[in-house]
Amino acid sequence: MELLGLFVTASMPVLKVLLLTGLGSYLALDSVNILGKDAIKYLNTIVFYVFNPALVGSSLANTVTYDSMIKLWFMPVNVLITFIIGSLLGWIVIHFTRPPQHLRGLILGCCAAGNLGNLPLIIIPALCKEKGSPFGDSDVCYSYGMAYVSLSMAIGAIYLWSYVYNIVRVSSTSINDIKSSRESLEEPLLLPSPEDVALQVGDSESSGIKQLRLVKLFRELNLKALLAPSTIGAIIGYIIGVVPLFRKSLIGSGAPLRVIQDSAVLLGDGAIPALTLIIGGNLLRGLRGEGIQKSLVVGIVVARYIALPLTGILVVKGAVHLGLVQQEPLYQFVLLLQFVVPPAMNIGTMTQLFGAGEKECSVIMFWTYALASISLTIWCTYFMWLVTTS
């Protein structure tokens, strides 16, 4: 298939995302004031606790079975590789740009965690329905594509809310911890003797702060934080999908408890438009935002749109060569797509939940998603050519 035709096919899903984000930006204008700062915060909370878990759980339960999990075993490994390589690239960006402490978790998260659910859920069905799609029959493409994307979304949610969530959480509170510990050290509760002062100068300001930060770290990394709503939804969806008794009871037109699955699907359908509108509102704030190092944005863009896709080609094609990945163009395309998507939208939710790095996150999201329209179109065009000609 000619590259021009593949380019047109790849651009259609991206245009859909641009239309929704543009609507979100319009609703966030001061003159319209429908999607203001408070509205975005409340909508983020609903997405976090209701829409996302329902979307992840229902999609996974509906499309993933025990046989498909065995067949698609490499996908969790592939997603893990994107997080590992992205984290390494994030550390490189931090090393060269030297950002403030409270932004380091945000930078790591933006480099490590891609939008593995919402954008693929828009891109893959749109590609399957395009007349020029290289993936064959649209119905078959849609069925298999949704299975791949649902698994990608569930795995990405687990990694995102267990790894990035805690990285952003600990990073956003570290500065306050240090300040509070220093204030407590400086507070004269008792008048110490000169000998005590001499002993405490080298001890309290170093080991005391380190011990406080270690205690805080282990306290923050608790089971409740690891089991975020989306992670719980993924676990429940996985269990329903792979356990025959649960699947027969909940999935299908003849299932006795199908109303539960139908209700979850109905809630989950609201996640994609809600999140896309939110990112549109945040992009407007990012357009107005100032006070962030340009080198940070450039570093994240280079990491996500140049270094990661190039690495992804080596990883996926190497896995195909070694026989770890099946010779199926759509499956290989989804694996490659996981390396080129922009940062996860839920990172913005995290910064708003913790009240740290919101402005900087808005600026990063603005530029990464603005450039994603170009990057996704070019890389998707090349990926479709790569998987259908090799």
Side-chain angles (χ1 to χ4, degrees):
M1 189 177 183
E2 295 182 357
L3 284 176
L4 180 59
L6 290 174
F7 181 82
V8 173
T9 302
S11 64
M12 291 300 104
V14 179
L15 288 176
K16 292 181 180 180
V17 176
L18 289 176
L19 288 174
L20 288 177
T21 53
L23 177 60
S25 297
Y26 171 76
L27 296 176
L29 290 172
D30 293 335
S31 58
V32 179
N33 198 27
I34 294 177
L35 201 60
K37 183 177 181 180
D38 291 338
I40 290 178
K41 182 178 180 180
Y42 296 142
L43 187 56
N44 256 325
T45 304
I46 295 175
V47 170
F48 176 71
Y49 286 104
V50 181
F51 288 168
N52 265 354
L55 176 64
V56 173
S58 61
S59 298
L60 196 60
N62 192 48
T63 56
V64 174
T65 63
Y66 177 79
D67 293 335
S68 66
M69 286 295 296
I70 299 298
K71 183 181 179 182
L72 306 177
W73 69 269
F74 184 77
M75 185 172 288
V77 178
N78 193 68
V79 175
L80 179 61
I81 291 174
T82 67
F83 273 72
I84 293 174
I85 296 176
S87 297
L88 293 175
L89 294 173
W91 279 115
I92 294 174
V93 173
I94 291 173
H95 176 74
F96 282 100
T97 59
R98 300 189 179 279
Q101 177 67 32
H102 70 284
L103 294 181
R104 296 186 178 184
L106 172 62
I107 296 169
L108 282 176
C110 288
C111 291
N115 192 327
L116 300 178
N118 308 103
L119 277 182
L121 275 174
I122 298 174
I123 292 173
I124 297 301
L127 285 178
C128 290
K129 294 176 182 178
E130 285 295 315
K131 292 182 179 180
S133 173
F135 300 124
D137 181 75
S138 60
D139 293 335
V140 176
C141 174
Y142 179 83
S143 177
Y144 280 96
M146 287 303 294
Y148 302 153
V149 172
S150 298
L151 182 59
S152 171
M153 177 174 56
I155 297 168
I158 293 174
Y159 291 153
L160 177 69
W161 293 106
S162 60
Y163 171 65
V164 177
Y165 177 82
N166 284 289
I167 291 293
V168 175
R169 183 176 183 171
V170 173
S171 175
S172 63
T173 57
S174 60
I175 292 295
N176 292 330
D177 291 341
I178 295 175
K179 289 182 179 178
S180 61
S181 63
R182 285 177 177 173
E183 289 174 358
S184 63
L185 288 172
E186 293 173 358
E187 185 177 355
L189 296 177
L190 292 174
L191 292 176
S193 63
E195 292 80 6
D196 292 334
V197 172
L199 290 173
Q200 290 176 1
V201 165
D203 178 60
S204 60
E205 291 191 357
S206 57
S207 63
I209 295 176
K210 291 179 181 179
Q211 290 175 5
L212 180 61
R213 294 180 66 182
L214 285 174
V215 171
K216 181 68 174 178
L217 175 63
F218 285 109
R219 191 178 69 194
E220 296 289 351
L221 297 175
N222 52 40
L223 184 61
K224 183 179 179 180
L226 292 176
L227 295 180
S230 293
T231 307
I232 297 174
I235 295 173
I236 294 175
Y238 173 80
I239 293 174
I240 294 174
V242 300
V243 177
L245 177 61
F246 294 152
R247 187 173 187 84
K248 292 179 180 178
S249 301
L250 294 164
I251 309 299
S253 58
L257 301 178
R258 63 183 180 277
V259 65
I260 299 177
Q261 171 68 2
D262 292 343
S263 300
V265 171
L266 186 62
L267 283 174
D269 287 343
I272 297 175
L275 273 171
T276 312
L277 290 175
I278 288 171
I279 202 65
N282 286 333
L283 291 184
L284 182 63
R285 296 172 60 193
L287 179 63
R288 299 168 177 170
E290 298 177 355
I292 184 174
Q293 297 173 243
K294 294 181 180 178
S295 57
L296 289 181
V297 179
V298 173
I300 293 172
V301 168
V302 171
R304 286 227 63 95
Y305 295 152
I306 298 178
L308 264 178
L310 292 175
T311 307
I313 294 173
L314 297 177
V315 171
V316 175
K317 300 309 289 185
V320 172
H321 179 74
L322 295 175
L324 302 177
V325 173
Q326 55 188 311
Q327 294 283 351
E328 184 180 342
L330 181 59
Y331 181 44
Q332 295 180 28
F333 178 82
V334 173
L335 293 178
L336 290 167
L337 184 63
Q338 292 171 344
F339 284 90
V340 74
V341 289
M345 293 181 179
N346 281 316
I347 296 177
T349 303
M350 295 175 189
T351 59
Q352 290 174 345
L353 287 174
F354 301 136
E358 295 178 64
K359 180 179 67 175
E360 293 84 357
C361 183
S362 297
V363 176
I364 292 172
M365 290 295 179
F366 171 78
W367 287 108
T368 53
Y369 274 82
L371 295 174
S373 58
I374 301 173
S375 175
L376 277 174
T377 302
I378 295 175
W379 281 113
C380 285
T381 302
Y382 177 69
F383 289 162
M384 284 191 289
W385 176 83
L386 185 66
V387 301
T388 54
T389 57
S390 57

